[in-house]
Amino acid sequence: MPKYYLTTAIDYSNGDPHLGHALEKVGADCIARYRRLRGDEVHFLMGMDEHSQAVLQAAEQNGLPPQAWVDRMAARFEAFWQRLECSNDDWIRTTEPRHHRTVAALLERIKTHSPDDLFEGEYEGLYCIGCEEFKQPSQIVNGRCIEHPTLELVPTKERNHFFRLSRYRDRLLALIRSGELRVEPAIRRNEILRLLEDGLQDISVSRNRQSWGIPFPGDPEQTVYVWFDALINYLSATGYPDPGYERLWPADLHVVGKGITRFHCVIWPAMLLSAGVALPREVWAHGYVQWEGTKMSKSAGTAVTLGEAIDRHGPDALRYFLLREVGFEADGNFTWERFDERYTADLADGLGNLASRSLAMLARYRDGVVPAASDETRLDQAGREAVAGYAKAMDALDLRGGAEAAWGLVATANLYIQQVAPWALAKAGRDAELDEALASLARALYRLAVLTSPFLPGKALLLWQSLGLQSLHLAAGWGGLERPPVAGLVTTKPEVLFPKPASV
Ligand SMILES: [Zn+2]
């Protein structure tokens, strides 16, 4: 089995997660679940970035020691990700000893492998605590950081350790242009290429005398710069530098937001090149969830909380809406109106109605047992085409395209019921045709349970079980998509998959 190691960005522990965080996590989870369906040995990592100054400030404001604060926040984030059915195999926190050990080991490796890459110097500049980085003039508007217009930039001058990032410009350009390091989607790749073409400056990789963070190896007065620390989490989770870390490394995919591509596509690969460690294969940078046209963020997060959005129609519906409507590529809008419309049209009246009508007819006309019949109806043809279109989209991380292919089959199957009218076939005693229609609908439900499972893990499992199939086999269901083995299955009518709320 090929391994597939994917990661999400790790989040600052300074406030509750919002819809923007949720989009990234469910998108990565959708990819992880799809890769498992395809037979990959998936390792899916999520976690927390706990050493930032903003975290320290939040702890102080809440009257807690920083460790107690980050423990509390990690538990809150994890509870949200569990509600949203994230299937991560590991959960890393940058305050863990295993991470400190890998940070120290990687810095030592850089010192021995590329002795000129770390040097001491003075730094003077404007620091954004929200981004945790020094800002260049091009990133400052009206004296404030573009990403954090409500925060004051902090003038800073101090002795730091520096990393010779400038040295890696040509190699990074070549690696990204050749696709050896894939940066997707193309709009993000082009941004990174332009940034590299403009040239790179060396970066400070330590901060002076900070009480919270990882001490810089060999210089206890300095603390490892939080971004340098945080990026290494992806490697820490593999057990680096212990032998065997290559079982997982290199990462196959880093899923991140479009605002942090410079860290993941420039600084992180340069750090790895400097240490002589293999590079990740791909970085995918998604867009932002917008609320009334502005980026969802901690400050704007009061408009809608993640908890409210989950409560509206349940976790599966929110996952589906984020990936289908808001989208995993460009920025997209979240509105209650569109959420309710999608819920009703695609889930309640679409997939839910298809399942309930098909299973009810199987119960009424065949005591729930799926008849053996030809798999050459036009619905089966549409099913095979949907599977092919879905796989093509999902392989390219086009999650919206994958959902469109699956829901295209939902629409075709609902239309098929109207056109074939199984109730009329039953009334006329046309048993062979009725068998063919019912079997074909059961195969459509089999295909849809598998194809929708990365988007709707909970509801897809209910659908799968109502077909008389075992939960264990959903992961192996992909192999049955060409000719779904449904003849003789004893189906049951499930609870209503997507109930219509009275208020909608
Ligand atoms: Zn900022």
Side-chain angles (χ1 to χ4, degrees), residues 5-8 10 43-48 88-94 96-103 229-242 244-249 251 254 268:
Y5 175 32
L6 79 160
T7 68
T8 62
I10 53 175
H43 192 80
F44 175 24
L45 176 70
M46 292 171 41
M48 300 298 291
N88 52 305
D89 301 285
D90 194 2
W91 173 252
I92 192 160
R93 298 176 50 196
T94 56
E96 285 180 74
R98 63 169 170 164
H99 175 66
H100 288 214
R101 179 176 161 270
T102 300
V103 170
D229 156 356
L231 289 163
I232 298 171
N233 90 86
Y234 307 128
L235 195 55
S236 305
T238 69
Y240 180 91
D242 291 345
Y245 82 93
E246 299 100 328
R247 194 182 65 76
L248 289 175
W249 195 259
H254 291 315
W268 176 228

Side-chain angles (χ1 to χ4, degrees), residues 396-465:
L397 306 183
D398 173 10
L399 306 184
R400 178 180 280 155
E404 281 168 0
W407 266 266
L409 180 57
V410 170
T412 304
N414 272 323
L415 190 63
Y416 178 81
I417 294 177
Q418 292 311 119
Q419 291 171 338
V420 173
W423 48 90
L425 297 175
K427 204 170 172 188
R430 290 155 69 180
D431 277 351
E433 286 164 81
L434 181 58
D435 280 351
E436 186 177 72
L438 294 175
S440 194
L441 285 165
R443 286 190 293 270
L445 292 182
Y446 178 110
R447 290 186 171 107
L448 285 167
V450 175
L451 299 188
T452 61
S453 63
F455 296 87
L456 314 166
K459 301 295 184 176
L461 181 56
L462 281 179
L463 178 56
W464 185 254
Q465 289 168 336

Side-chain angles (χ1 to χ4, degrees), residues 22-348:
L23 172 71
E24 174 171 299
K25 301 331 174 209
V26 303
D29 186 66
C30 183
I31 295 165
R33 288 176 182 273
Y34 170 68
R35 296 308 329 173
R36 289 193 197 102
L37 283 177
R38 299 307 304 268
D40 287 356
E41 191 178 329
V42 169
H43 192 80
F44 175 24
L45 176 70
M46 292 171 41
M48 300 298 291
D49 183 355
E50 302 185 316
H51 284 142
S52 80
Q53 289 178 79
V55 169
L56 192 57
Q57 285 179 353
E60 279 164 5
Q61 280 159 14
N62 285 274
L64 282 176
Q67 189 64 50
W69 169 256
V70 297
D71 289 348
R72 178 199 279 186
M73 293 312 294
R76 291 183 68 92
F77 273 68
E78 217 178 358
F80 273 109
W81 305 149
Q82 283 171 4
R83 269 191 87 190
L84 282 169
E85 304 165 276
C86 289
S87 61
N88 52 305
D89 301 285
D90 194 2
W91 173 252
I92 192 160
R93 298 176 50 196
T94 56
T95 51
E96 285 180 74
R98 63 169 170 164
H99 175 66
H100 288 214
R101 179 176 161 270
T102 300
V103 170
L106 191 75
L107 277 163
E108 289 304 329
R109 245 331 261 291
I110 289 174
K111 281 185 196 168
T112 52
H113 189 260
S114 307
D116 295 336
D117 277 2
L118 292 172
F119 60 96
E120 280 188 47
E122 276 270 310
Y123 199 97
E124 185 165 10
L126 292 172
Y127 196 83
C128 173
I129 290 177
C131 294
E132 293 286 4
E133 67 171 328
F134 286 102
K135 291 287 160 183
Q136 302 303 317
S138 63
Q139 300 168 298
I140 298 172
V141 171
N142 298 330
R144 303 285 175 93
C145 165
I146 296 173
E147 299 265 336
H148 298 97
T150 59
L151 295 178
E152 293 277 355
L153 289 166
V154 184
T156 307
K157 181 180 179 181
E158 59 183 38
R159 178 186 70 90
N160 291 152
H161 293 273
F162 281 73
F163 175 66
R164 212 174 291 283
L165 184 64
S166 55
R167 216 189 125 191
Y168 293 95
R169 172 195 180 250
D170 292 349
R171 282 172 77 187
L172 289 170
L173 267 176
L175 285 161
I176 294 172
R177 281 188 181 136
S178 71
E180 214 173 316
L181 170 59
R182 291 201 301 280
V183 178
E184 300 288 348
I187 182 172
R188 305 299 158 219
R189 179 170 62 250
N190 292 334
E191 284 170 3
I192 289 294
L193 288 173
R194 278 199 299 274
L195 187 149
L196 287 166
E197 282 157 5
D198 287 347
L200 293 177
Q201 294 185 333
D202 297 335
I203 55 164
S204 147
V205 295
S206 72
R207 301 298 314 279
N208 197 30
R209 296 175 197 281
Q210 290 197 339
S211 58
W212 183 238
I214 300 177
F216 201 86
D219 187 352
E221 286 197 353
Q222 297 273 317
T223 307
V224 178
Y225 170 48
V226 65
W227 264 104
F228 211 77
D229 156 356
L231 289 163
I232 298 171
N233 90 86
Y234 307 128
L235 195 55
S236 305
T238 69
Y240 180 91
D242 291 345
Y245 82 93
E246 299 100 328
R247 194 182 65 76
L248 289 175
W249 195 259
D252 295 274
L253 178 67
H254 291 315
V255 173
V256 302
K258 67 175 187 178
I260 55 175
T261 50
R262 191 174 73 88
F263 294 98
H264 285 83
C265 308
V266 177
I267 298 177
W268 176 228
M271 289 162 62
L272 293 166
L273 287 170
S274 177
V277 175
L279 298 191
R281 298 204 165 89
E282 180 169 7
V283 177
W284 177 275
H286 60 80
Y288 293 147
V289 180
Q290 295 184 323
W291 175 261
E292 290 168 356
T294 54
K295 177 192 171 189
M296 191 75 66
S297 68
K298 192 168 166 254
S299 42
T302 45
V304 49
T305 68
L306 181 51
E308 277 178 282
I310 298 172
D311 289 341
R312 183 80 156 199
H313 302 295
D316 279 19
L318 180 60
R319 289 172 62 108
Y320 173 74
F321 182 70
L322 286 172
L323 299 175
R324 173 75 188 265
E325 172 89 12
V326 177
F328 204 52
E329 187 166 333
D331 295 347
N333 279 312
F334 185 98
T335 67
W336 293 122
E337 294 71 23
R338 283 301 290 156
F339 190 15
D340 294 346
E341 282 167 20
R342 281 273 182 205
Y343 179 80
T344 301
D346 298 0
L347 299 178

